[in-house]
Amino acid sequence: MLRPVAMVALLTASVASAHPMSRVDYSMRAAIQFDGDHLEAVVVMEVPFDVVAADLRAGMEAARSATEPSHQAQQVLDAYSHKVWDQMGQGLRVRVDGQVVPGTWGPKDNRLNGKGAVTGGFFLYMVEFKPSAPLKLDQDVDVVIENWGLADKPMVYSAMVVAGRGWKVTMDSSRVALPNAPYNVDDPRFWTRDLSLRRLEARFVSTP
């Protein structure tokens, strides 16, 4: 069974590698993993380093004159990360078997979340969905991540769907735009400007 931490590792690779498209493009990739007793919905966004640096410039300059410059600078960076996570979450929704699932999107607990690298060219942000109540699921489950946020940004998209042991994927909408091959975040073939990836749908069916 591929646990959530492994799924995020597949999605993120490393900050230094980043998505293999233009460095002026944002990226957004969604992932759905289901293994019967656990549903994992994660969205990862990369923001160009220069965009974040420009947004942070005034706050970082003010931090230099603070009593504790490093502490103040970290507060500026943390506040910015929370702003981005909130923006991402406001544009996301999860449906299961056609019904909107009540819940919240919040930052994923991962050491790379909110971090950036000049060499990679991006800051990385990850959010995950947490339902308000336990989901009642049967042996045939349809899951959708809908994403309409940050539509004004130059964006490339990717997506992946993972089934745990005892389950198989019988429908993966990303296959229309992406290769029918093992997912590779560093392969340019797995990146596209196709807006269809703003809606990722997967159907999971239990296997004997």
Side-chain angles (χ1 to χ4, degrees):
M1 182 183 300
L2 184 62
R3 300 311 303 169
V5 65
M7 181 180 72
V8 173
L10 282 174
L11 272 173
T12 58
S14 69
V15 174
S17 65
H19 75 73
M21 310 300 277
S22 166
R23 288 196 179 191
V24 301
D25 286 320
Y26 289 61
S27 80
M28 194 168 285
R29 48 199 187 269
I32 300 171
Q33 175 183 306
F34 182 68
D35 58 21
D37 60 355
H38 184 81
L39 171 64
E40 182 86 354
V42 176
V43 174
V44 179
M45 184 171 72
E46 288 167 311
V47 180
F49 193 94
D50 290 346
V51 171
V52 178
D55 288 346
L56 292 174
R57 186 170 293 121
M60 289 300 187
E61 289 177 353
R64 293 193 186 99
S65 59
T67 304
E68 299 181 49
S70 60
H71 176 70
Q72 182 62 30
Q74 187 61 53
Q75 286 189 321
V76 170
L77 185 59
D78 289 346
Y80 186 84
S81 295
H82 280 280
K83 177 182 176 181
V84 175
W85 292 324
D86 288 344
Q87 287 178 329
M88 293 173 68
Q90 289 168 9
L92 294 168
R93 181 166 57 190
V94 172
R95 293 181 183 270
V96 173
D97 294 334
Q99 302 299 312
V100 175
V101 180
T104 58
W105 287 87
K108 178 74 178 173
D109 184 12
N110 185 284
R111 65 182 180 80
L112 300 179
N113 204 356
K115 300 296 191 299
V118 176
T119 53
F122 298 92
F123 273 75
L124 186 71
Y125 300 94
M126 291 177 268
V127 292
E128 64 178 346
F129 181 72
K130 295 183 178 179
S132 300
L135 299 175
K136 296 180 180 180
L137 305 170
D138 54 23
Q139 305 306 300
D140 187 334
V141 180
D142 186 82
V143 182
V144 177
I145 296 177
E146 297 173 339
N147 175 12
W148 63 89
L150 298 153
D152 61 328
K153 307 301 182 185
M155 191 81 69
V156 292
Y157 303 95
S158 190
M160 67 178 293
V161 172
V162 181
R165 184 176 301 165
W167 293 82
K168 66 179 179 180
V169 178
T170 60
M171 194 276 285
D172 175 357
S173 66
S174 72
R175 296 301 189 181
V176 174
L178 303 179
N180 185 17
Y183 186 80
N184 181 357
V185 70
D186 297 317
D187 186 340
R189 296 181 306 152
F190 285 89
W191 291 95
T192 179
R193 297 186 189 278
D194 192 330
L195 294 177
S196 69
L197 287 187
R198 280 187 169 268
R199 183 183 186 277
L200 177 62
E201 180 174 6
R203 183 181 177 189
F204 301 89
V205 176
S206 64
T207 57

